[in-house]
Amino acid sequence: MIYDCTVDDHSYIISGLVKNTKIGKYCSIATNVTIGADRHPTDWLSTHPFQYNDTDNFKPLKITTIGNDVWIGANVVIITGVSIGDGAIIGASSVVTRDIPPYAIVAGIPAKIIRYRFNENIINKLLKLKWWDSEYHFHHKNEIDFSNIEKAVEQIEMLKNKDKVA
Ligand SMILES: CC(C)(COP(=O)(O)OP(=O)(O)OC[C@H]1O[C@@H](n2cnc3c(N)ncnc32)[C@H](O)[C@@H]1OP(=O)(O)O)[C@@H](O)C(=O)NCCC(=O)NCCS
């Protein structure tokens, strides 16, 4: 079930509950994922919504943000209000309780960084390039070596610069 969400181009969700969440482009979201589910009060008489569902006394909703090119594995839970950076990977069955930086690979309960997808220099280039906002990777698919990150970044940068000059 997906509601009160924006899901940008080319992102897909196989199954789960996604609520009040902004999802960027090119995200791959696997099965049985829970993102942005309602919060309940932990220090009231009860945790049940009967206490506030017809008032403004408790705001159960907080926006959850998923960047671009994020891969979320099966059975992940992402706690409401968290931000997941561009390019991050969330390992299967993780519970994400804190913001995740761009291009981090995280896993576990609570999710911790196991490594980054690329070195700092490449990550900075990717965050500047924002390839997901252009169409070079579609229009020049055969000219880009997607499996070689250094080359791919360089090739997209060159295509972009060529367009600027033209
Ligand atoms: C997160 C993931 C991408 C990491 O892959 P990887 O970079 O090849 O990582 P490794 O397998 O080398 O594991 C590195 C360490 O993280 C741990 N780890 C990996 N995934 C984990 C997970 N989901 N939960 C807890 N720990 C995990 C490994 O046990 C290993 O720990 P160690 O160093 O103590 O031995 C992968 O494990 C994963 O969860 N993929 C998602 C699969 C999925 O849900 N697919 C759905 C279809 S789209």
Side-chain angles (χ1 to χ4, degrees), residues 100-162:
I100 303 298
Y103 288 96
I105 302 180
V106 303
I109 303 174
K112 301 271 186 222
I113 297 173
I114 48 181
R115 62 186 174 86
Y116 283 83
R117 285 177 59 190
F118 308 117
N119 67 41
E120 207 181 329
N121 180 41
I122 290 289
I123 291 174
N124 289 335
K125 284 186 179 181
L126 285 163
L127 294 174
K128 197 168 160 220
L129 188 63
K130 296 187 188 299
W131 61 264
W132 44 82
D133 285 336
S134 70
E135 298 274 298
Y136 296 102
H137 49 283
F138 280 137
H139 299 321
H140 300 269
K141 210 167 176 175
N142 298 330
E143 296 163 51
I144 300 169
D145 186 352
F146 295 108
S147 64
N148 181 328
I149 191 63
E150 270 97 0
K151 271 196 190 159
V153 166
E154 213 174 277
Q155 285 158 338
I156 298 174
E157 275 173 350
M158 266 167 56
L159 289 162
K160 229 176 163 177
N161 287 337
K162 233 199 253 172

Side-chain angles (χ1 to χ4, degrees), residues 12 14 30-31 71-74 89-94 105-108 114-115:
Y12 66 89
I14 298 178
T31 45
W71 175 28
I72 300 177
I89 297 175
I90 316 297
S93 296
S94 300
I105 302 180
V106 303
I114 48 181
R115 62 186 174 86

Side-chain angles (χ1 to χ4, degrees), residues 47-80:
T47 52
H48 195 280
F50 82 86
Q51 303 162 115
Y52 56 83
N53 58 8
D54 52 358
T55 74
D56 273 343
N57 293 343
F58 180 75
K59 297 248 182 302
L61 294 178
K62 247 179 155 187
I63 219 158
T64 306
T65 308
I66 313 293
N68 303 282
D69 189 31
V70 172
W71 175 28
I72 300 177
N75 306 310
V76 164
V77 175
I78 298 178
I79 298 298
T80 305

